[in-house]
Amino acid sequence: MSALFEQFRLHDLTLPNRIVMGPMTRAKATPEGVPTPMMATHYAQRASAGLIISEGTWPERRGQGYFDIPGIETQEQQDAWAQVTEAVHTAGGRIFLQMEHTGRVGHEVNNGGTTLCAPSDVPADFQIFTRDQGAVQMTTALHVLSTDEVWDVIDAYGKAAQRAKAAGFDGIELHGASGYLPHQFLSDTSNLRDDEFGGSPARRTTFMIEVLKRMIDAWGDSRRIGVKISPGILYNGNVEHEVEETYSVLIDQLNELDLAYVAFQTPESLRSFSGAETDDIPDGEIWHRFPYEFIRERYHGTVIASGDLTKEYAQKALEAGKADLFVFGRAYMSNPDLVERMQNDWPLTPVDMRRGYGGGEEGYNDYPTWQQQSAEPQGAPVG
Ligand SMILES: Cc1cc2nc3c(=O)[nH]c(=O)nc-3n(C[C@H](O)[C@H](O)[C@H](O)COP(=O)(O)O)c2cc1C
């Protein structure tokens, strides 16, 4: 049996396998960011994953970049998340909450009219999707955070982390990737500050490190806190220079924090988001792609890889020691029993990305397991 399907000890958690359901925004919460019962069903259906990472969830309303994405700022949101974690645990699974503050990426029509905040007055220049107006130009009126206000945002992450723990999550992943707020602080093009949060690669890492420290304090155990990074990714308007220097300094500090893990997303991934086929990765070459080598060489703890993975690539990367756990994103949208399918070499159901965001249970909770699918009469529609 492939080691992919063997147990892995993540601190004091025993994962039954090394397959991770990646964080995926699906816009299924209420407009006020309260998780809905269909989300509990969705995650519980996928409980055989070694670990589930929830969709990006905002610690404060300004950080809600997209419509109908959940928060963890209020008691009502916490109580609704408790239903989700209970459903996952009852089904035998484990779930971390992904904490996502989108910073300059977003629009007031998505977040109840709240002005977006950012490290500097550098708007992101692209279009963002809204529920009622379709794709619209990204907001250019940004509130630049004062030094005191940056500390207030860090506090907001800490309070949200307390709520995540109270809601029954098994841990938290800080979203430090994909061009959102912590990444905006890391990048030299979106962070032009000259206080303690900007000005040099080391100072640009301060925000992310302080947020992590605050979340660790809130939880009381550093090994239940992970972080996702995406060095150099061209996504959400992120452009960064000095990538190696900045991320070397960052990873040195992450080592000292003694976290649950560092997750990364490859810079080339997400190109095929529009629903096009994933580009082929030449056989055996996956770990030559930055950042497999870069992070493994520097980071001393558990590494989670993501981006265009297949079972075969994950196996090779594991055998070569390039990562410990492996995220599947899109494949998890359409295969609730992805672990069993990969383990048994059963075929995967392709995902319909037209149903990626918003809407109800259709295209969300109605993807069958292989057992259900193969019990259906011949010719019945799949997915
Ligand atoms: C619909 C969708 C929503 C996503 N939302 C998030 C998110 O909220 N947070 C995050 O870190 N990554 C998000 N991602 C990225 C995935 O977690 C994953 O890293 C990426 O899809 C690459 O994996 P894949 O090639 O297996 O799909 C999203 C991906 C998809 C397809």
Side-chain angles (χ1 to χ4, degrees):
M1 190 173 74
S2 161
L4 270 183
F5 305 106
E6 287 172 9
Q7 284 187 353
F8 181 81
R9 282 293 284 180
L10 186 68
H11 182 34
D12 54 352
L13 293 171
T14 302
L15 316 187
N17 56 67
R18 291 169 184 259
I19 308 298
V20 178
M21 175 185 171
M24 278 178 289
T25 292
R26 303 300 302 273
K28 304 285 184 181
T30 70
E32 291 73 40
V34 180
T36 52
M38 68 176 148
M39 290 163 56
T41 305
H42 186 74
Y43 287 115
Q45 284 177 347
R46 287 152 179 78
S48 64
L51 181 65
I52 295 171
I53 316 291
S54 84
E55 62 213 273
T57 300
W58 38 276
E60 61 157 21
R61 193 79 201 258
R62 283 184 297 191
Q64 180 190 1
Y66 305 95
F67 66 91
D68 297 353
I69 66 171
I72 183 84
E73 185 181 17
T74 68
Q75 188 65 40
E76 192 185 4
Q77 291 162 352
Q78 177 187 316
D79 293 344
W81 272 122
Q83 307 284 318
V84 176
T85 60
E86 195 190 331
V88 170
H89 291 148
T90 302
R94 295 135 300 278
I95 181 167
F96 273 40
L97 174 113
Q98 191 189 54
M99 196 88 82
E100 170 188 292
H101 191 310
T102 49
R104 68 175 183 165
V105 173
H107 201 283
E108 294 83 357
V109 299
N110 283 345
N111 69 10
T114 318
T115 303
L116 304 188
C117 64
S120 300
D121 192 12
V122 186
D125 184 15
F126 62 100
Q127 295 203 319
I128 191 155
F129 205 71
T130 62
R131 190 197 314 102
D132 301 323
Q133 299 171 25
V136 299
Q137 181 61 28
M138 192 77 63
T139 297
T140 53
L142 300 174
H143 174 72
V144 176
L145 295 163
S146 69
T147 305
D148 285 348
E149 287 169 341
V150 176
W151 288 107
D152 291 343
V153 176
I154 293 168
D155 280 344
Y157 274 100
K159 291 195 180 96
Q162 280 170 353
R163 289 200 179 277
K165 188 174 187 192
F169 281 97
D170 296 297
I172 305 176
E173 175 177 289
L174 172 65
H175 198 342
S178 307
Y180 298 124
L181 188 63
H183 202 177
Q184 290 159 29
F185 272 94
L186 274 186
S187 160
D188 60 309
T189 61
S190 49
N191 180 352
L192 309 178
R193 304 176 71 92
D194 56 11
D195 62 359
E196 66 255 48
F197 295 102
S200 66
R203 292 216 300 253
R204 291 199 305 271
T205 67
T206 306
F207 179 76
M208 198 183 291
I209 296 299
E210 291 298 329
V211 168
L212 285 166
K213 284 184 181 163
R214 202 58 62 95
M215 294 193 341
I216 290 167
D217 284 349
W219 198 282
D221 182 353
S222 65
R223 300 250 197 121
R224 292 294 188 113
I225 309 294
V227 62
K228 177 175 176 180
I229 56 176
S230 56
I233 202 168
L234 295 172
Y235 189 64
N236 276 331
N238 178 61
V239 177
E240 50 190 334
H241 310 103
E242 304 177 311
V243 174
E244 297 215 6
E245 193 178 350
T246 306
Y247 284 84
S248 295
V249 174
L250 178 72
I251 293 172
D252 282 349
Q253 296 173 86
L254 297 179
N255 278 323
E256 280 169 31
L257 291 181
D258 194 23
L259 299 170
Y261 62 80
V262 168
F264 70 81
Q265 185 162 338
T266 49
E268 303 89 341
S269 61
L270 301 182
R271 275 183 307 195
S272 51
F273 241 45
S274 53
E277 288 299 310
T278 301
D279 293 346
D280 272 344
I281 305 162
D283 218 26
E285 282 185 18
I286 189 161
W287 46 82
H288 296 306
R289 300 181 321 158
F290 182 84
Y292 277 84
E293 296 285 1
F294 184 83
I295 292 179
R296 193 49 135 187
E297 275 165 15
R298 288 167 178 79
Y299 185 63
H300 304 150
T302 298
V303 173
I304 308 186
S306 80
D308 300 328
L309 288 171
T310 61
K311 177 176 112 176
E312 291 70 30
Y313 294 132
Q315 269 169 187
K316 280 182 189 161
L318 179 60
E319 280 158 21
K322 302 299 175 186
D324 303 297
L325 299 170
F326 299 89
V327 158
F328 289 81
R330 285 160 286 186
Y332 250 120
M333 295 170 76
S334 47
N335 297 279
D337 55 342
L338 184 67
V339 169
E340 293 80 2
R341 286 180 189 245
M342 292 199 299
Q343 206 166 359
N344 294 293
D345 286 324
W346 294 331
L348 302 188
T349 303
V351 63
D352 179 359
M353 284 302 288
R354 289 170 305 179
R355 297 208 181 115
Y357 305 97
E361 309 238 12
E362 207 187 335
Y364 185 55
N365 287 341
D366 54 357
Y367 282 107
T369 62
W370 174 250
Q371 307 283 6
Q372 291 164 340
Q373 195 174 323
S374 34
E376 279 168 8
Q378 283 263 307
V382 170

